[in-house]
């Protein structure tokens, strides 16, 4: 009986720690605390950006990089620099993130569709800032495919739809 109790306690703690870690990652992401910058020109239809994510855990910040990069391309745009022209956000109406919250909650959920529109490359750059980590990851964001998907879903208007 003692062995069973100990095994159940260990299983509970492992599940709780994993769930807590996952919920912390989601909380950090939902606050959308990141910086985005252009690092060069990507292939046709893509942006090559570096996204700096913040979290108390280094792995959490690294794992959220693609999610943050796609969010930045959608809602913040990309500032110019490093031989790049600034890019406007794909969503021209910033309120759309809240107006279509049901869509974006599913889109940015763990395992969500956002993963189809970005890929990380290279070795993360890691800095300790106070009690947190600031982690920079280079991400290719497939902006043309992202725009096309959002247009087909009726989330944004097409470029040729007029005013």
């Amino acid at each position: 009986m003692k062995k069973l109790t100990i095994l159940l306690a260990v299983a509970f703690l492992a599940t709780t720690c994993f769930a807590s870690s996952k919920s912390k990652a989601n909380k950090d992401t939902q606050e959308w605390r990141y910086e985005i910058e252009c690092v060069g020109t990507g292939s046709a239809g893509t942006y090559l950006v570096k996204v700096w994510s913040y979290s108390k855990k280094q792995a959490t910040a690294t794992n959220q990089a693609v999610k943050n990069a796609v969010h930045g391309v959608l809602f913040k745009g990309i500032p110019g620099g490093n031989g790049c022209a600034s890019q406007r956000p794909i969503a021209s109406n910033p309120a759309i993130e809240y107006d279509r919250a049901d869509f974006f909650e599913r889109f940015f959920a763990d395992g969500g569709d956002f993963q189809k529109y970005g890929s990380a490359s290279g070795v993360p750059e890691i800095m300790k800032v106070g009690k947190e980590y600031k982690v920079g990851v280079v991400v290719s964001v497939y902006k043309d495919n992202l725009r096309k998907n959002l247009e087909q879903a009726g989330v944004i208007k097409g470029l040729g739809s007029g005013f």
Side-chain angles (χ1 to χ4, degrees), residues 36-48:
I36 190 167
E37 63 186 58
C38 180
V39 293
T41 56
S43 59
T46 65
Y47 291 141
L48 189 60

Side-chain angles (χ1 to χ4, degrees), residues 42-48 70 73-74 78 87-88 90 107 116-118 140-152 156-159:
S43 59
T46 65
Y47 291 141
L48 189 60
V70 170
V73 168
L74 273 172
I78 305 168
Q87 301 295 327
R88 291 179 175 221
I90 289 176
F107 184 82
K116 298 177 188 176
Y117 305 105
S140 292
V141 179
Y142 315 117
K143 64 163 177 94
D144 288 353
N145 295 341
L146 178 59
R147 174 181 287 284
K148 187 176 183 180
N149 173 274
L150 294 174
E151 288 173 1
Q152 289 174 345
I156 63 170
K157 293 181 181 178
L159 291 175

Side-chain angles (χ1 to χ4, degrees), residues 2 22 29 44 46-47 55 77-78 81 86 118 121 141 151 160:
K2 280 187 176 182
K22 215 167 193 176
T29 300
T46 65
Y47 291 141
S55 182
I78 305 168
S86 63
S121 61
V141 179
E151 288 173 1

Side-chain angles (χ1 to χ4, degrees), residues 96-114:
I96 197 144
E97 183 176 8
Y98 304 102
D99 294 344
R100 296 294 307 266
D102 57 329
F103 175 85
F104 288 112
E105 283 177 16
R106 286 189 313 275
F107 184 82
F108 286 113
D110 289 337
D113 284 346
F114 76 90

